[in-house]
Amino acid sequence: MEIKMQQNITVHCREILKDIFGYDDFRPLQEEIISSALSGRDSLVVMPTGGGKSLCYQIPALIFQGLTVVVSPLISLMKDQVDQMKQLGIDAILLNSSITRDEYNTGIDMIRNNKVRLLYVAPETLLKNEMIALLASVKVDCLAIDEAHCISEWGHDFRPEYRLIAQVRKKFPTTVCMALTATATERVRADIRKNLGFTESSDFIASFNRDNLFYRIMPKNHPLEQTIDFLNKHKDESGIIYTFSRGNVDRIYDSLKKLRFSVRPYHAGLSDSERKENQELFLKDEVQIIVATIAFGMGIHKTNVRFVLHFDLPKSIEAYYQETGRAGRDGVKSECLLLYSYSDIHKIRYFINQKTDETEKQASLTQLDALVAYADSGRCRRIPLITYFGEPYSIENCGMCDNCADPGESAEDITTQAQMFLSCIKRTGEKFGAGHIIDVLRGSRSKKITGFGHNLLPTYGIGRDLSKALWQGLAQEFIRNGLVFQDTGSYGELRITGKGYSVMKGDEPVSGKTTVTREKHSVTGTAADYDSRLFEILREKRRELAAAENVPPYVVFSDKTLIDICTRYPQSIEELTSIHGIGTHKMQKYGGSILTIVKSYCAENNLESKSVQVPSQHEHLKTPRHVQIGQLYNSGSSITEIEETAGIKRSTIISNLNKFIQDGHSIKSAGLTSLLPGDTELLTRIIAAFDRHSTEYLKPVFEELGGIADYDMLQICRLYYLSRE
């Protein structure tokens, strides 16, 4: 009996997945997490950004009888998710300081009257006595804690109020609890479990590998020029530029604005209204680029961010992973570029050394050292990045990072340059960082060089034929090759290793990839083999639909959905419902207008549909044809438009609409009036005949009227009759 019940739950979940969300299959671990929640087991969910965490509590919320409460740290995140739920026809509300008192009271009334499936609140709101009392008065089936790493003091974004959620949870002992995060080391996970009282068996750890992200690291030479060059390769695409300080944000923004880039700034120095406006413009695709401090992005569910550029070095791998994870949430190829310099390392290390708490200081230095090791690695970028979170990863060539982009790329002999560099480190007493060593090699006349007397060394000026940028790239290669290591002190002094001494003596050669070879690869565009012209037409239509409903465009359709349409050219209801992300509600709202555009475009360009209807193992879960037609008609498409766009005969449409009504649905009568007989007396007689004979069979009505109305007309009149009922 229990097995059969579990099977029924699984089928129901898959029906919701396809019918509401428009997805054919679950992503890894989603089904198991949902099953765990529906079975009443608490869960710790660690899943990368874009991996589908939200679905893990949204589907159970549609099955539970009671309320699902979602705790989220940012208002923008809550509003975004509520907008998305409403687009799918799901009853969801938020309660926080961003709404009016009347809206707040209306929300409370909806909760009391069991008219809400999902409630989104900030931790501060959840902790209020009146909120706890309200939730105690209704049935709360699930408590979902998003961004759960904020619970842990060992996490990169600790928030004290998150620690107090455990007190609220104790007041609802029968409520299933789900803690979700994208970034958590084992230490952080253990802290979350301990705080919330979870057991080891409730962990669900998805892979940290974001295989659609291309990771690139470049020496930071002329950062503004490098940024502009990068942006020119990503024209008309959404992206985020992260930088260390507010001043940098303003300088980069001003420079890009003068060059007519579509850009806005975001940092804590701006007013609340400015930040809100800039974020809204970015979310709605009215602005392409946001230049921001790390204050921007947490909880932003904008799915079509195509690039993330780090103008400065982040503080840790956790921060880097989370910030780069804001790109490509829709699964489409996206690029992450880090401009890397040793001066940034020294700057971060300086701020860390100002900390008075020794434990906190050492933890921060350890995190920084891990990030530096990642940036200096000559292996596949994913190896140090993913293994940092405790996940094994041993693929030597991912094909989606700068170190793996061209396996056939030959390394150069850089032994002579290595000997110059190492000799200069030795002669300056191993007391200086890479920047100083490069200045000595290039013959700088700065006061620092002459003050130490380093202009008198034999190595002074011997490397002036190479640019500073090239020397910086070489310095990174020497660290990657293990010839030197960087001291964790304040100045990042370089020390020579045993291997380095062997090279300096001429006992061992050195080869590596220089800055020139590292900069030549580029990832541009979003996907191959899709119609970019149709994509722009649909993108404009998406923007129009979103503006009409005051929601971000990606809430209407993701880029992945548009790309799928522009690859397969769907020209019927069946073909459109097979597109990723188009479920019942979106078909009903937008299907008619999308099919009209695609069919018109294909006719003008002599294109045919590439959609192949292959029965899948979930074929029984497909929305029935008569339901699809009924939903399309109710969305505003006329019977004539459905004929043209879906390629279905009028009699078939009428028959399917009749079946749709027999299933218990209703349809709008207004769309039928133009098809009714112009003779109002005849229409009155037909309606009266249906009153006497019912609508089950047409023959009695046909015979009573003596054949003055044919069966096609009677079909339409019956539909009109039923629609009015």
Side-chain angles (χ1 to χ4, degrees):
M1 180 68 74
E2 187 176 334
I3 294 174
K4 189 169 183 180
M5 185 179 297
Q6 185 61 46
Q7 289 173 338
N8 289 338
I9 290 174
T10 300
V11 169
H12 190 24
C13 289
R14 288 187 168 273
E15 286 174 342
I16 292 172
L17 181 73
K18 179 59 183 172
D19 197 38
I20 304 296
F21 295 92
Y23 305 140
D24 290 317
D25 289 297
F26 284 107
R27 293 183 183 183
L29 291 184
Q30 283 182 327
E31 196 165 14
E32 294 91 328
I33 295 165
I34 291 167
S35 177
S36 176
L38 293 173
S39 300
R41 294 193 299 273
D42 298 328
S43 304
L44 170 59
V45 178
V46 183
M47 191 176 283
T49 303
K53 292 188 294 296
S54 303
L55 205 69
C56 295
Y57 55 78
Q58 287 165 352
I59 287 183
L62 299 179
I63 297 175
F64 284 135
Q65 292 181 344
L67 183 67
T68 292
V69 179
V70 183
V71 184
S72 177
L74 291 180
I75 290 172
S76 58
L77 169 67
M78 290 183 256
K79 184 179 183 303
D80 189 73
Q81 288 221 358
V82 169
D83 283 343
Q84 291 191 51
M85 291 300 95
K86 288 180 177 178
Q87 279 290 308
L88 297 171
I90 298 170
D91 296 320
I93 64 169
L94 58 84
L95 292 178
N96 58 37
S97 58
S98 72
I99 61 177
T100 66
R101 171 53 60 181
D102 286 345
E103 289 172 325
Y104 198 94
N105 290 337
T106 299
I108 290 174
D109 288 341
M110 291 175 69
I111 292 170
R112 285 177 175 151
N113 293 315
N114 198 29
K115 292 183 178 179
V116 178
R117 290 285 191 168
L118 282 154
L119 166 65
Y120 289 82
V121 294
E124 298 87 351
T125 305
L126 179 69
L127 295 169
K128 291 180 178 178
N129 290 332
E130 56 266 34
M131 179 56 64
I132 294 172
L134 171 65
L135 296 178
S137 69
V138 298
K139 181 175 172 57
V140 179
D141 280 329
C142 181
L143 175 65
I145 305 166
D146 208 359
E147 309 292 350
H149 59 271
C150 297
I151 288 173
S152 175
E153 293 176 293
W154 297 103
H156 65 284
D157 194 27
F158 170 60
R159 300 189 178 207
E161 64 273 15
Y162 255 71
R163 298 287 282 189
L164 302 176
I165 294 174
Q167 298 176 13
V168 178
R169 196 212 164 196
K170 289 177 182 176
K171 297 179 184 294
F172 299 89
T174 61
T175 297
V176 67
C177 188
M178 188 184 296
L180 308 101
T181 178
T183 51
T185 60
E186 174 49 43
R187 190 173 197 177
V188 172
R189 297 198 294 268
D191 202 17
I192 294 171
R193 285 193 298 267
K194 181 180 178 182
N195 181 259
L196 295 175
F198 285 1
T199 61
E200 186 78 31
S201 59
S202 62
D203 284 15
F204 294 93
I205 315 297
S207 173
F208 285 89
N209 185 22
R210 294 285 306 282
D211 57 9
N212 64 311
L213 298 186
F214 189 102
Y215 297 107
R216 178 187 309 286
I217 297 178
M218 289 170 54
K220 188 175 180 180
N221 310 326
H222 307 287
L224 186 58
E225 292 176 19
Q226 290 171 295
T227 297
I228 293 167
D229 182 56
F230 181 78
L231 295 178
N232 284 330
K233 294 172 183 173
H234 289 273
K235 284 184 178 179
D236 300 321
E237 293 182 350
S238 287
I240 305 170
I241 300 173
Y242 284 112
T243 186
F244 189 75
S245 66
R246 301 177 189 178
N248 258 4
V249 169
D250 292 334
R251 283 188 288 273
I252 296 167
Y253 163 67
D254 288 338
S255 298
L256 296 181
K257 184 182 177 184
K258 287 175 184 175
L259 293 170
R260 299 183 180 279
F261 283 99
S262 174
V263 62
R264 285 292 178 99
Y266 189 101
H267 59 68
L270 301 174
S271 67
D272 289 345
S273 60
E274 285 178 299
R275 286 199 306 273
K276 183 177 180 181
E277 180 187 10
N278 293 349
Q279 178 170 295
E280 285 294 314
L281 289 170
F282 180 65
L283 291 177
K284 292 181 178 180
D285 282 351
E286 293 176 31
V287 165
Q288 295 294 328
I289 304 161
I290 282 286
V291 185
T293 57
I294 58 171
F296 179 79
M298 185 175 178
I300 295 298
H301 279 223
K302 182 175 169 68
T303 61
N304 63 331
V305 174
R306 293 278 75 86
F307 64 85
V308 168
L309 188 157
H310 279 91
F311 195 90
D312 298 309
L313 192 69
K315 294 179 181 179
S316 66
I317 282 189
E318 288 102 323
Y320 173 77
Y321 181 83
Q322 187 175 62
E323 288 155 20
T324 55
R326 286 160 193 156
R329 292 177 59 93
D330 52 10
V332 176
K333 184 183 288 187
S334 306
E335 186 167 7
C336 306
L337 172 64
L338 166 62
L339 300 180
Y340 178 51
S341 74
Y342 289 108
S343 62
D344 283 351
I345 300 171
H346 302 156
K347 184 174 16 178
I348 294 172
R349 187 171 279 123
Y350 171 79
F351 284 114
I352 291 173
N353 283 322
Q354 305 310 303
K355 296 178 184 287
T356 55
D357 187 311
E358 195 60 33
T359 302
E360 185 182 349
K361 181 191 294 186
Q362 287 306 313
S364 298
L365 286 172
T366 300
Q367 291 175 334
L368 177 61
D369 289 343
L371 181 62
V372 171
Y374 163 74
D376 283 332
S377 174
R379 298 189 298 167
C380 170
R381 297 284 180 207
R382 282 170 166 76
I383 295 175
L385 183 62
I386 294 171
T387 56
Y388 177 82
F389 294 101
E391 178 185 342
Y393 187 90
S394 57
I395 299 171
E396 290 296 331
N397 192 319
C398 70
M400 281 291 286
C401 74
D402 53 355
N403 287 339
C404 296
D406 187 356
E409 185 178 277
S410 58
E412 303 173 23
D413 186 327
I414 53 174
T415 306
T416 301
Q417 292 89 340
Q419 290 171 334
M420 291 181 187
F421 195 82
L422 294 166
S423 179
C424 193
I425 293 174
K426 184 65 178 174
R427 291 178 183 276
T428 53
E430 297 183 272
K431 296 177 181 178
F432 299 90
H436 185 84
I437 301 301
I438 291 169
D439 284 345
V440 175
L441 290 169
R442 298 192 71 248
S444 169
R445 298 180 183 276
S446 70
K447 287 184 180 179
K448 186 178 179 183
I449 300 296
T450 56
F452 281 108
H454 291 165
N455 57 318
L456 305 176
L457 295 175
T459 52
Y460 179 75
I462 63 172
R464 59 166 52 95
D465 57 327
L466 299 182
S467 69
K468 186 173 183 177
L470 191 52
W471 272 117
Q472 287 173 332
L474 286 166
Q476 291 180 27
E477 284 295 332
F478 301 149
I479 293 174
R480 287 189 194 98
N481 278 276
L483 310 186
V484 293
F485 70 91
Q486 198 166 30
D487 196 281
T488 57
S490 301
Y491 303 103
E493 302 95 330
L494 296 179
R495 315 283 193 198
I496 303 173
T497 65
K499 184 178 180 181
Y501 277 109
S502 296
V503 170
M504 194 163 58
K505 294 174 184 177
D507 295 337
E508 191 173 335
V510 184
S511 61
K513 299 171 186 176
T514 64
T515 305
V516 177
T517 58
R518 286 182 172 276
E519 289 188 8
K520 73 181 185 181
H521 297 294
S522 178
V523 173
T524 57
T526 55
D529 302 324
Y530 75 97
D531 192 318
S532 57
R533 270 206 308 145
L534 179 57
F535 182 83
E536 289 306 318
I537 294 170
L538 291 175
R539 189 157 74 161
E540 185 56 39
K541 183 63 178 178
R542 177 179 67 177
R543 189 180 290 115
E544 176 190 315
L545 293 169
E549 300 187 39
N550 195 30
V551 296
Y554 63 86
V555 171
V556 176
F557 290 125
S558 70
D559 273 11
K560 186 171 184 178
T561 297
L562 296 190
I563 288 170
D564 203 8
I565 293 171
C566 296
T567 303
R568 296 163 59 187
Y569 303 118
Q571 296 178 53
S572 69
I573 296 171
E574 291 88 343
E575 290 175 349
L576 192 58
T577 51
S578 71
I579 295 293
H580 171 89
I582 298 185
T584 302
H585 201 70
K586 290 196 174 181
M587 168 59 77
Q588 184 174 338
K589 290 185 73 172
Y590 311 120
S593 59
I594 295 300
L595 281 174
T596 300
I597 290 172
V598 176
K599 286 208 66 161
S600 174
Y601 182 85
C602 290
E604 289 173 10
N605 295 278
N606 196 29
L607 297 168
E608 294 182 356
S609 170
K610 295 180 182 177
S611 297
V612 179
Q613 298 298 318
V614 180
S616 69
Q617 58 177 323
H618 311 305
E619 188 69 28
H620 64 287
L621 300 180
K622 283 184 64 176
T623 306
R625 183 186 181 94
H626 68 281
V627 175
Q628 295 172 7
I629 291 173
Q631 291 166 346
L632 196 57
Y633 171 80
N634 278 340
S635 72
S637 295
S638 69
I639 288 177
T640 302
E641 286 172 339
I642 296 173
E643 275 186 280
E644 294 172 353
T645 58
I648 304 173
K649 291 180 181 179
R650 177 171 298 191
S651 58
T652 304
I653 296 170
I654 299 296
S655 176
N656 276 282
L657 288 176
N658 184 60
K659 188 176 180 183
F660 186 68
I661 289 177
Q662 288 173 353
D663 277 358
H665 303 286
S666 61
I667 66 168
K668 301 173 182 177
S669 61
L672 300 169
T673 53
S674 62
L675 304 177
L676 296 172
D679 185 341
T680 54
E681 184 182 345
L682 174 59
L683 178 60
T684 302
R685 288 181 61 190
I686 294 172
I687 296 298
F690 278 126
D691 282 337
R692 286 188 290 274
H693 299 287
S694 84
T695 57
E696 188 174 0
Y697 300 106
L698 293 178
K699 187 175 180 181
V701 177
F702 179 80
E703 291 177 344
E704 180 184 320
L705 296 172
I708 59 173
D710 60 23
Y711 277 95
D712 286 343
M713 179 58 69
L714 292 179
Q715 287 252 27
I716 294 169
C717 291
R718 176 171 63 180
L719 200 58
Y720 176 71
Y721 180 90
L722 292 171
S723 69
R724 293 196 311 168
E725 285 190 339

